[in-house]
Amino acid sequence: MGRRHLLLSLLRFSIALLGLIGGYRLSHDAAHAGLSRLFSFSAIVQSRLESADEAVRLAPSDPEAHYTRALALVNKERLSDAVVEFQQATRLRPHHYYEWLDLGVTLDRLGDQTGADAALRESVRLAPFFAQPRWQLGSLLFRQGRYEEAFAELRLAAKSNPSLVGELLQLAWVAADSDVRAFEALIQPPTKRSHLELANFLAGRGKGADAVRQVRQAGEPGDEVERALLQKTISGLLAAQLFSDAYAAWAISHNRPVGSGPGQFLNGDFLEPILQNDPGFGWQVLPTPKVVVSIDPSGPTPGARSVRVEFSGEHAPGNLIHQLVLLQSKTRYSLNFMARAEDLVSGGPPVILAFDGGSKTILGQSKPLSPGNSEWSAYQVDFATDSNTAAVIIALQRLSCNQSPCPIFGKLWLSRFSLVKN
């Protein structure tokens, strides 16, 4: 009985001793792991390789320590040593995509494209819906000239991260050697938004007809992002003086027949509203201090309305209200309109100008809009386009004053704008 009791006591002591040893080891390992992570954090914050070295020494089985040391080695341009640490990190923690990603990028920098390809494909496999692994793999394939494979990855990356779309379009333009059809085949726009992104890109490269085709495939914008893309496209075409293409893109989203543009003045009786932040055609009004522009329900004839311009002091020169109109080159035109004023006082009276949409050369000017006439009066501006004129701007401006400052006060009404080809 005594022997049995002795054996049981020894067994309990052994278990307790093992527990103490195990607890010590766990505490020791936990302390080392904690210190290792602290040194890893220090290595990242301070960019110190020495801290990363100490982190690995304290916890050689911690993948985070090896990963941190690899990043520190990359910062020191010791790429071969960094690869060894990245590989150790992936062995210890094979299911983290970003370690494979950084391994692939570093191998690529060393010129090991086969190794880089394998590591990046593993990163993609582990994170198929993340943008960066696919983007890096696509970039590797792009540099190898494997464009079909490359853009399969790059398109998916841009789908996950729309901020990559601009770079995707640039790469496709290079790969296609500026050939629009090849460019479109590489992008394969799947959505309305992507068609508008292509349209905006093509407009910036002077490809007006192709930009319009993409706008037509997109159709009416479905949200504010798409509307902003369409407006940027129209503005890009106008900046490139591709006026007919700009009108075609504008007309698609404004329920206007594309073929009705040349020589057609829009909304001459102001029966339609003047849209804000709508670049292109139709009336444009820029906010101007001391000037208020609004639609008046009354006009010079039944069924017509007018635009009322109220002046209350000094303001910067420039167009107060204007419209861009497509015209035929080498043609004579007459612009007809009606105006009336009320208590209009200024040394620089308002006038209506017609000037070239490209060169901004003044082609014609009305007589001053009489400040003393409160009745509707008819006005006419005769002008001719030359061989380079594709569009004119019809604008309300003021004549220069003999003194400065030159305020203006009172009200002006305009209506019944129309163009006649002579």
Side-chain angles (χ1 to χ4, degrees), residues 97 100-108 113-127 132-141 143 153:
Y97 83 94
W100 289 102
L101 174 63
D102 286 329
L103 172 60
V105 170
T106 309
L107 286 168
D108 185 23
Q113 294 191 340
T114 301
D117 186 284
L120 292 172
R121 288 185 188 277
E122 180 62 13
S123 182
V124 168
R125 187 189 70 81
L126 292 169
Q132 202 59 26
R134 289 194 181 277
W135 187 263
Q136 292 296 340
L137 176 58
S139 298
L140 174 65
L141 295 168
R143 294 193 301 276
E153 300 295 337

Side-chain angles (χ1 to χ4, degrees), residues 388-402:
N388 297 317
T389 302
V392 298
I393 297 173
I394 307 299
L396 172 66
Q397 291 189 7
R398 290 176 58 201
L399 295 176
S400 300
C401 296
N402 294 325

